[in-house]
């Protein structure tokens, strides 16, 4: 349906939702309910031309725009007050070419749908755990998950991206970036972060054969924290790269520590591999089993369901295990957590033959290649009255851990990080700015932490 007719100029096309429309409220909301922004219009694009028209429409009128797919930005970057949200979630086709082992995936697909479509052909892609996270934002920022150590980040498997970028003073056009054409944009799309250069409409990924995997979960009581956390940190990067694992320490009120992981291999081997963990402290619950891969994705997705609706999260990387003082810091902060929903979560990324670490920090825009572990410090709540306390807790916690950890993952953005370009992009920021200047010289794709067009 075409709306917003102006005398001259581009018209919006696609499914258009305006304030006053019964679906406006649902259409404007982010996954993180801490944000409640009121866009002037939301365009649900159905084809690339709808995206082009929306970018042109916004540029011709000087209206701010945001790209949106899965709405999972931690800091609400895919919403905007008074601007246009260009939403690709209804562009959600996916096609597998098993002969060439590639998949063509439109950027509106959430992860659960990607896994399901690929599973139908018994192939997969290393990607994240939450079912509703969009493949769009996940890939552009990196993409970590339970196959990372074997198959790398999601963006490492990205061969081609189709993107709507600006053209001239008011225009927009589609370009295709791959190894041969616009290779600089492909490089930037592998970790440079969402919303910076244009609006991605389709990805081509390398895919891998998959059938069954083995998964584990071990639960300890909080009293074992001082032993279990250091043991996991030593163990996780040292095991075969076919095993990627996590550990999550809950607030003291909950009083649990849970480690989970996935092995490309059988249950017997997995049981043998996790023995060093089982020998630490007193595990109170242990699960090991072999399942079809698609069931494993459901198992890991469950951890991301039914969470409190508002949250503040920050991330960081560990290049070596936390010293005892750092583990004490975790104990102290989680002892005084604002509520029972606060946690510290880590996933193994590096170590023994890891596909993430084998790539050079400058080969893609994602620079944190040599990190052993990624951390996520999170606070969640329901009522606005709790907000400040939770945000302050995350801020203080980040500061306290700073001597022991480095940087942050651009997909775990945090508005409180002052030097965020360095934290997210490290050595790659200068090159990213050059790509930004080339593809978005008028800084149309901008938000609080977008890559600046500046000269350096
Ligand atoms: C519950 C939860 C679980 C998560 N689990 C994981 C995980 O397992 N692994 C992991 O790596 N990360 C994980 N993340 C982080 C996730 O990768 C980021 O939040 C990611 O940016 C989400 O992408 P999206 O498309 O869902 O979000 P959106 O909010 O739609 O977009 C995120 C950013 O990308 C931009 N963007 C969106 N669509 C496009 C497009 N088509 N073209 C260009 N830019 C676009 C937006 O403008 C915004 O800046 C998780 C997040 C949450 C909330």
């Amino acid at each position: 349906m075409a709306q917003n007719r102006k005398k001259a100029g581009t018209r919006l096309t696609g499914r258009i939702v305006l304030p006053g429309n019964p679906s406006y409220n649902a259409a404007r909301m982010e996954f993180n309910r801490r944000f409640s922004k009121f866009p002037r219009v939301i365009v649900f694009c159905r084809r690339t031309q709808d995206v082009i028209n929306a970018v042109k429409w916004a540029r011709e009128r000087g209206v701010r725009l945001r790209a949106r797919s899965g709405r999972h930005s931690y800091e609400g970057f895919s919403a905007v007050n008074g601007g246009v949200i260009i939403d690709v979630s209804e562009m959600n086709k996916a096609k597998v070419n098993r002969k060439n082992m590639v998949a063509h995936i439109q950027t509106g697909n959430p992860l659960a749908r990607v896994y399901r479509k690929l599973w139908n052909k018994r192939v997969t892609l290393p990607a994240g755990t939450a079912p509703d996270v969009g493949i769009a934002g996940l890939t552009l920022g990196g993409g970590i998950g339970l196959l990372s150590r074997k198959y790398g980040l999601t963006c490492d498997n990205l061969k081609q991206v189709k993107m709507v970028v600006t053209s001239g003073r008011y225009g927009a056009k589609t370009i295709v970036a791959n190894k041969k054409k616009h290779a600089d944009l492909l490089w930037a799309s592998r970790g440079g972060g969402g919303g910076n250069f244009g609006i991605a409409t389709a990805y081509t990924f390398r895919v891998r054969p998959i059938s069954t995997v083995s998964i584990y979960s071990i639960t300890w009581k909080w009293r074992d924290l001082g032993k279990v956390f250091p043991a996991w940190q030593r163990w996780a990067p040292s095991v075969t790269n076919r095993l990627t694992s996590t550990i999550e320490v809950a607030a003291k009120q909950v009083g649990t520590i849970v480690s989970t992981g996935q092995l490309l291999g059988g249950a017997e081997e997995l049981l043998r591999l996790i023995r060093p963990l089982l020998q630490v402290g007193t595990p109170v619950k242990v699960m090991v089993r072999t399942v079809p891969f698609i069931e494993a994705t459901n198992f890991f997705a469950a951890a991301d369901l039914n969470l409190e609706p508002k949250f503040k999260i920050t991330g960081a990387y560990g290049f070596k295990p936390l010293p005892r003082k750092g583990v004490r810091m975790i104990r102290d902060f989680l002892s005084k957590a604002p509520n029972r929903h606060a946690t510290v979560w880590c996933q193994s990324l590096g170590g023994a033959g890891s596909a993430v670490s084998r790539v050079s920090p400058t080969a893609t825009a994602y620079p944190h290649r040599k990190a052993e572990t990624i951390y996520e410090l999170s606070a969640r709540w329901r009522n606005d009255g709790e907000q400040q306390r939770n945000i302050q807790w995350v801020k203080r916690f980040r500061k306290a851990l700073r001597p022991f950890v480095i940087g942050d993952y651009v997909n775990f953005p945090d508005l409180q990080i002052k030097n965020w370009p360095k934290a997210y992009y490290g050595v790659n920021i200068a090159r990213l700015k050059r790509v930004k200047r080339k593809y978005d010289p008028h800084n149309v794709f901008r938000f609080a932490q977008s890559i600046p067009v500046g000269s350096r």
Side-chain angles (χ1 to χ4, degrees):
M1 191 200 342
Q3 283 203 4
N4 264 297
R5 280 157 217 271
K6 290 238 161 185
K7 265 183 284 165
T10 309
R11 289 184 302 177
L12 290 176
T13 56
R15 185 165 70 87
I16 289 143
V17 178
L18 294 161
N21 187 301
S23 61
Y24 176 75
N25 222 27
R28 72 181 178 84
M29 293 311 285
E30 292 278 284
F31 174 78
N32 188 352
R33 294 302 166 106
R34 176 157 63 95
F35 301 99
S36 176
K37 296 185 188 173
F38 293 86
R40 173 165 158 180
V41 53
I42 303 140
V43 181
F44 289 91
C45 302
R46 265 122 187 212
R47 2 173 239 134
T48 306
Q49 190 59 45
D50 298 336
V51 179
I52 293 176
N53 290 346
V55 174
K56 280 185 174 169
W57 181 91
R59 295 193 75 197
E60 287 164 4
R61 288 158 184 79
V63 173
R64 307 210 48 186
L65 58 81
R66 291 296 162 84
R68 191 176 77 181
S69 173
R71 311 187 188 188
H72 272 57
S73 168
Y74 287 178
E75 294 286 17
F77 290 155
S78 48
V80 61
N81 281 318
V84 50
I85 294 179
I86 305 175
D87 184 295
V88 296
S89 65
E90 293 179 10
M91 295 173 67
N92 57 13
K93 293 201 185 86
K95 216 168 108 197
V96 177
N97 179 335
R98 210 172 188 296
K99 192 162 146 255
N100 298 336
M101 290 304 274
V102 294
H104 306 284
I105 297 178
Q106 284 191 307
T107 52
N109 278 286
L111 293 186
R113 204 177 139 88
V114 171
Y115 285 134
R116 171 59 61 189
K117 286 268 185 169
L118 300 191
W119 173 250
N120 290 343
K121 297 274 171 33
R122 295 301 185 267
V123 294
T124 199
L125 174 70
T129 51
D132 300 333
V133 162
I135 192 72
L138 178 102
T139 305
L140 294 171
I144 62 164
L146 275 302
L147 288 171
S148 296
R149 295 185 70 241
K150 177 66 181 167
Y151 293 134
L153 305 171
T154 312
C155 71
D156 295 338
N157 295 273
L158 181 68
K159 293 166 78 78
Q160 180 166 291
V161 52
K162 191 169 161 192
M163 196 179 272
V164 172
V165 294
T166 61
S167 166
R169 196 68 194 93
Y170 298 110
K173 63 179 180 193
T174 310
I175 59 173
V176 172
N178 55 35
K179 221 164 55 182
K180 293 199 183 115
K181 279 184 304 183
H182 303 295
D184 49 357
L185 186 60
L186 178 67
W187 175 87
S189 300
R190 293 166 137 190
N196 279 307
F197 307 103
I199 303 182
T201 56
Y203 295 141
T204 303
F205 289 106
R206 174 181 179 190
V207 292
R208 323 284 180 144
I210 197 90
S211 54
T212 56
V213 293
S214 297
I215 56 176
Y216 81 83
S217 169
I218 310 173
T219 307
W220 295 264
K221 289 259 169 68
W222 231 65
R223 58 170 182 262
D224 286 335
L225 177 61
K227 287 184 225 151
V228 168
F229 197 82
W232 179 82
Q233 288 215 312
R234 281 192 305 272
W235 169 84
S238 73
V239 289
T240 167
N241 67 1
R242 288 178 292 114
L243 174 52
T244 302
S245 62
T246 73
I247 190 164
E248 184 162 45
V249 188
K252 192 174 183 188
Q253 295 100 301
V254 177
T256 55
I257 308 158
V258 179
S259 175
T260 62
Q262 174 174 279
L263 174 74
L264 287 157
E268 237 172 71
E269 182 187 5
L270 182 55
L271 200 54
R272 202 171 60 243
L273 287 167
I274 63 173
R275 200 171 295 145
L277 285 184
L278 293 172
Q279 286 165 350
V280 185
T282 313
V284 289
K285 219 160 87 188
V286 179
M287 179 280 287
V288 179
R289 59 173 190 257
T290 301
V291 292
F293 175 72
I294 197 69
E295 261 182 49
T297 64
N298 294 337
F299 171 78
F300 292 109
D304 285 316
L305 299 175
N306 304 318
L307 298 170
E308 291 295 277
K310 299 175 185 179
F311 58 87
K312 171 70 194 177
I313 297 180
T314 194
Y317 290 94
F319 283 71
K320 48 184 189 224
L322 270 191
R324 215 173 292 160
K325 210 168 145 199
V327 180
R328 261 207 312 275
M329 218 60 92
I330 290 181
R331 183 200 306 273
D332 288 353
F333 272 86
L334 287 171
S335 303
K336 292 179 241 136
N339 62 35
R340 55 186 291 112
H341 306 293
T343 72
V344 173
W345 172 93
C346 297
Q347 190 201 293
S348 60
L349 281 177
S354 162
V356 178
S357 314
R358 274 205 307 268
V359 178
S360 137
T362 54
T364 70
Y366 177 95
H368 318 281
R369 297 289 176 175
K370 306 300 172 203
E372 284 189 345
T373 320
I374 183 161
Y375 288 74
E376 194 177 72
L377 318 178
S378 52
R380 298 174 196 276
W381 64 95
R382 187 163 291 270
N383 303 312
D384 287 341
E386 303 170 66
Q387 181 155 311
Q388 271 321 307
R389 206 156 69 94
N390 279 274
I391 291 177
Q392 286 309 315
W393 180 83
V394 171
K395 188 177 177 182
R396 286 199 314 274
F397 198 178
R398 179 179 182 86
K399 196 166 164 209
L401 277 186
R402 217 162 48 194
F404 316 113
V405 295
I406 297 175
D408 189 10
Y409 173 33
V410 67
N411 272 349
F412 297 171
D414 177 356
L415 279 168
Q416 290 180 331
I417 300 176
K418 284 205 186 77
N419 194 356
W420 56 266
K422 181 153 187 272
Y424 301 156
Y425 303 121
V427 293
N428 291 327
I429 183 65
R431 196 164 162 197
L432 279 165
K433 284 184 185 172
R434 285 201 294 276
V435 178
K436 174 78 175 174
R437 272 200 300 282
K438 181 168 163 192
Y439 291 95
D440 184 23
H442 301 288
N443 206 13
V444 170
F445 294 98
R446 65 179 187 278
F447 55 96
Q449 291 186 338
S450 54
I451 293 166
V453 188
S455 57
R456 283 177 1 102

